[in-house]
Amino acid sequence: MEEEVKSLNFIEHIIEEDLSQGYSQEELRFRFPPEPNGYLHIGHASSICLNFGLGLKYNAPVNLRFDDTNPAKEEKEYVEAIKRDVEWLGYRWDSERYASDYFQQLYDWAVELIKMGKAYVDSQTSEEIAEQKGTPTEPGEESPYRSRSVEENLRLFEGMKNGEFEEGAHVLRAKIDMKSSNMLMRDPIMYRVLHKAHHRTNTDWCIYPMYDWTHGESDYIEQVSHSLCTLEFLPHRELYDWFLDQLVSEKKLRPKQREFARRNLSHTVVSKRKLLQLVESGVVSGWDDPRMPTISGLRRRGYTPESIRNFADTIGIAKRDNVVDVSLLEFHVREHLNKIAPRVMGVLNPLKVVITNYEEGKEEWLDAENNPEDDSAGNRKVPFSRELYIEQEDFREEANRKFFRLKLGGEVRLKNGYIIKAESCTKDEDGNVTEVQCTYDPKSKSGSGTEESLRKVKGTLHWVSIPHAIEAEVRLYDRLFTDATPDGYKDKDFMEFVNPASLNKVTGYLEPSLKNAKIGDRFQFQRLGYFNVDLDSTDEKMVFNRTVTLRDTWAKIEQKN
RNA sequence: UGGCCUAUGGUGUAAUUGGUAACACAGCUGAUUUUGGUUCAGUCGUUCAAGGUUCGAGUCCUUGUAGGCCAACCA
């Protein structure tokens, strides 16, 4: 066996470097740290695959840590949704942690910082503080409260904790450098007063630590070796390190933050605000609408965890801006579904075909292969009768020889069935074909081994027997946005690019074997695409989603003309 | 007017750390095919620019250009 040499991404290079410079493999530990204020999306999937993938590669534990320091935005519902999504992707965390587990420790450390003269209580308004902060090009000025005594700071900070003050009355700030070229180092806020119940600590606390004061210290508590985040946190690294400098013990591992560029997917948006806007404006039906780039949306759409993991693996991780084309994601679902999805037949745009020389009232149950890609998939029976549906696009009265499908006087193979010939057709007053009359060759039955059955005809069509067909709602999805980068324009709102035709509900006529399909089951409707049973499906009315179409070279040929 | 990050085919990512620019997708040809699917074979096309160091530069240096990030009591 030839070993495939897998190249390393820059994060793995860093880890390999650390390993060769004295880190032991046992010290490696990672974490995935979502804030439970929304649903996970395809961008998070990349981060999840990165962190958990590293865990698998180095046999290192990975924590799932909820960054729950802002009770105004966070809810238990999101915690549950996030856990479900990470599990669905196929990963197991070593331990489930919450930044809120560390509130007491963080408070104690903050007191230490005050005692060291490295933190102070500021009693200005947020406007005043913002004013003094300066701009990226101008230095800030120091707060008049910056030189409060340790005793007063201690007393005020305790008062904050004990609920003696209104929101906004005081904040705790780190005393660093108001002239730093890094805005984050200009005496960043560590704590604010928030009289809000937290989804886990309830009303135990009325002061809450800020992200910067929480994240690195949480990494330190959990002894995370490599704390990976997106590039916009790069300026935070200096502060991350400064906070760690104040309390790291030499005997313990010191976490390091490293940053990678978030992955952008074309034809969609991923910011929580924009996703929420799509939900609230009714453009989509909810966070798990199959058109949404959320993990729950992709799951409902019929994507497999494997396909998402392979996608994440293929696009890799780097530091430059990027927009990954959705077609790559689609490639990965097709690749996986091609291997696992049973083939069935269903007609979405029906045109009636009558086999005039087929006995009325007769039915035959034909053998059909479940999956040519999987020898163990076996066979099933599909009913054949005198009256069938084929797709409207599969018949033309006349066409050139590039058109392999049914035309008057022409022959075509009905998949798993007989070779038929179109003899005539009837039309309505508008000239639309409403029925095609065909004859069949009784000796051409698929698999019968006769000379006639072995005849080569250019086209093969899927079909369904009208009296046996089951009706179902089929939801056909297109891209949610008509532009590759809907939120990439300064002068245009992303909502302007919403694709008005992103959802098309049709009635499908499906082979009867589908009657037993369960919610979530995935199929290939032959020649049409991959579909799964939607959770709106009931015993009375089945509902299918089209996950993705098949590759369609015919459509490309058509487009050129 | 500041600081920091990034620049490799249409897209995404590599390049044994200075030694033949490659992989996947997309595109295009063709073969196979009872799915215009799959599979197979082939093909197209790349180091932001200008200097410099070097036997040799995608990689190092300088300058420039372009894009991004940084002024929430958000994360």
Side-chain angles (χ1 to χ4, degrees):
Chain A
M1 283 287 281
E2 201 172 315
E3 186 84 4
E4 195 180 332
V5 187
K6 190 82 169 67
S7 58
L8 305 180
N9 63 44
F10 82 98
I11 298 281
E12 291 166 332
H13 279 295
I14 290 170
I15 294 170
E16 292 293 333
E17 171 92 8
D18 287 338
L19 248 19
S20 69
Q21 307 260 312
Y23 276 60
S24 72
Q25 183 145 342
E26 295 72 48
E27 286 177 309
L28 261 25
R29 182 181 283 270
F30 307 95
R31 109 263 93 117
F32 172 63
E35 183 189 12
N37 69 342
Y39 287 80
L40 259 25
H41 54 66
I42 185 71
H44 292 112
S46 235
S47 174
I48 292 168
C49 293
L50 203 220
N51 283 294
F52 285 94
L54 252 14
L56 257 19
K57 179 183 170 105
Y58 292 103
N59 193 25
V62 184
N63 288 348
L64 174 61
R65 181 170 75 229
F66 291 96
D67 235 329
D68 56 349
T69 57
N70 186 0
K73 290 186 175 176
E74 297 149 7
E75 289 170 34
K76 190 165 193 291
E77 175 204 343
Y78 295 126
V79 170
E80 299 308 321
I82 288 167
K83 285 164 67 176
R84 191 168 59 236
D85 288 347
V86 174
E87 278 178 328
W88 179 76
L89 279 172
Y91 295 111
R92 245 180 277 161
W93 47 87
D94 181 64
S95 81
E96 178 181 334
R97 303 293 187 101
Y98 294 81
S100 54
D101 291 340
Y102 315 135
F103 281 171
Q104 185 62 48
Q105 173 68 265
L106 258 11
Y107 178 82
D108 294 342
W109 276 335
V111 168
E112 290 303 309
L113 252 62
I114 294 173
K115 287 179 180 166
M116 290 188 280
K118 297 197 170 174
Y120 63 98
V121 172
D122 197 335
S123 308
Q124 300 180 98
T125 64
S126 58
E127 291 75 21
E128 287 168 324
I129 291 174
E131 186 87 8
Q132 289 161 3
K133 197 149 194 180
T135 69
T137 54
E138 300 159 42
E141 328 161 1
E142 296 183 352
S143 164
Y145 297 98
R146 200 174 200 260
S147 48
R148 280 220 254 236
S149 69
V150 169
E151 292 67 34
E152 191 181 7
N153 282 324
L154 251 16
R155 189 171 51 73
L156 285 168
F157 187 46
E158 192 174 0
M160 284 166 65
K161 187 190 93 158
N162 292 337
E164 293 167 21
F165 304 112
E166 295 298 303
E167 290 186 10
H170 307 284
V171 291
L172 184 72
R173 292 230 255 169
K175 194 188 284 187
I176 308 181
D177 177 10
M178 290 306 290
K179 293 184 174 58
S180 172
S181 59
N182 183 349
M183 299 284 294
L184 286 153
M185 300 300 279
R186 324 242 260 227
D187 289 10
I189 292 168
M190 296 169 67
Y191 276 94
R192 76 285 211 188
V193 175
L194 244 33
H195 291 284
K196 293 203 170 58
H198 184 279
H199 66 102
R200 293 186 75 246
T201 60
N202 200 5
T203 53
D204 292 354
W205 295 85
C206 62
I207 56 170
Y208 291 93
M210 301 288 286
Y211 166 85
D212 288 296
W213 171 237
T214 308
H215 205 92
E217 314 348 281
S218 300
D219 288 337
Y220 180 60
I221 291 167
E222 293 174 22
Q223 288 288 280
V224 166
S225 59
H226 299 263
S227 182
L228 310 174
C229 60
T230 46
L231 227 39
E232 61 269 28
F233 288 95
L234 200 152
H236 294 249
R237 183 149 121 196
E238 191 179 359
L239 181 54
Y240 180 103
D241 286 331
W242 188 90
F243 279 136
L244 249 22
D245 285 340
Q246 313 310 314
L247 46 94
V248 150
S249 148
E250 276 182 24
K251 291 193 276 288
K252 296 182 84 176
L253 178 138
R254 180 190 171 114
K256 47 167 77 171
Q257 171 185 307
R258 290 296 180 270
E259 312 80 12
F260 59 90
R262 68 155 28 112
R263 262 71 265 288
N264 299 299
L265 232 209
S266 76
H267 301 277
T268 194
V269 296
V270 289
S271 96
K272 278 171 188 166
R273 201 200 95 232
K274 288 169 185 160
L275 259 17
L276 183 67
Q277 199 175 330
L278 289 169
V279 173
E280 289 185 337
S281 63
V283 167
V284 298
S285 63
W287 289 94
D288 68 343
D289 185 293
R291 290 165 290 177
M292 290 284 270
T294 51
I295 306 287
S296 48
L298 291 166
R299 175 168 58 228
R300 185 168 173 186
R301 175 84 170 248
Y303 274 77
T304 61
E306 290 87 341
S307 63
I308 294 174
R309 278 190 258 125
N310 288 341
F311 170 72
D313 195 47
T314 310
I315 62 179
I317 222 73
K319 292 179 82 165
R320 64 180 115 143
D321 293 338
N322 60 84
V323 181
V324 183
D325 202 289
V326 269
S327 64
L328 186 57
L329 217 208
E330 292 170 348
F331 162 79
H332 283 286
V333 232
R334 288 194 188 104
E335 181 188 52
H336 188 219
L337 258 16
N338 176 50
K339 293 194 189 97
I340 65 164
R343 314 282 119 138
V344 293
M345 293 194 289
V347 173
L348 301 185
N349 197 7
L351 172 62
K352 187 173 175 182
V353 165
V354 178
I355 316 286
T356 55
N357 60 339
Y358 195 84
E359 196 180 320
E360 236 165 294
K362 181 180 173 184
E363 69 171 35
E364 278 181 272
W365 288 78
L366 307 171
D367 273 318
E369 198 179 12
N370 284 331
N371 189 346
E373 305 293 317
D374 179 1
D375 294 335
S376 68
N379 295 298
R380 69 184 186 289
K381 297 282 189 182
V382 292
F384 186 83
S385 70
R386 189 171 194 266
E387 299 195 341
L388 316 166
Y389 281 140
I390 63 168
E391 300 288 344
Q392 281 180 24
E393 305 82 72
D394 285 343
F395 174 75
R396 282 182 194 173
E397 287 181 79
E398 44 190 304
N400 64 25
R401 63 166 63 89
K402 276 192 173 172
F403 185 78
F404 302 162
R405 287 111 106 131
L406 192 61
K407 53 193 166 195
L408 288 182
E411 282 188 318
V412 95
R413 156 79 61 186
L414 291 178
K415 179 80 184 170
N416 307 311
Y418 296 96
I419 294 172
I420 60 169
K421 181 178 182 182
E423 307 286 357
S424 58
C425 64
T426 51
K427 299 188 220 174
D428 63 16
E429 53 274 18
D430 298 326
N432 300 312
V433 177
T434 54
E435 185 184 298
V436 184
Q437 293 84 37
C438 297
T439 53
Y440 84 118
D441 177 353
K443 292 181 181 164
S444 64
K445 186 166 149 182
S446 292
S448 63
T450 62
E451 199 178 308
E452 290 83 349
S453 73
L454 268 13
R455 269 174 59 210
K456 299 282 177 199
V457 286
K458 193 66 184 164
T460 301
L461 305 186
H462 63 277
W463 52 275
V464 66
S465 165
I466 296 176
H468 300 90
I470 55 176
E471 285 186 31
E473 178 177 317
V474 181
R475 298 174 181 172
L476 307 175
Y477 301 104
D478 197 356
R479 294 174 176 172
L480 231 198
F481 294 94
T482 53
D483 191 272
T485 54
D487 53 2
Y489 301 90
K490 289 191 174 85
D491 53 335
K492 282 186 176 155
D493 188 77
F494 76 102
M495 293 295 275
E496 290 178 38
F497 297 106
V498 167
N499 177 2
S502 61
L503 170 59
N504 181 17
K505 292 185 186 181
V506 301
T507 299
Y509 299 85
L510 315 177
E511 65 168 73
S513 72
L514 249 8
K515 208 166 289 178
N516 303 318
K518 304 278 178 293
I519 287 171
D521 284 356
R522 303 180 180 96
F523 301 92
Q524 183 196 95
F525 289 9
Q526 282 184 114
R527 301 211 302 136
L528 296 177
Y530 295 98
F531 294 74
N532 76 339
V533 182
D534 188 74
L535 68 236
D536 284 346
S537 214
T538 63
D539 290 341
E540 291 74 44
K541 184 189 182 191
M542 297 192 83
V543 178
F544 285 83
N545 298 309
R546 183 174 67 196
T547 308
V548 67
T549 60
L550 257 28
R551 268 188 73 212
D552 192 350
T553 44
W554 172 241
K556 281 173 200 155
I557 295 167
E558 284 274 274
Q559 244 171 34
K560 282 182 196 162
N561 300 331

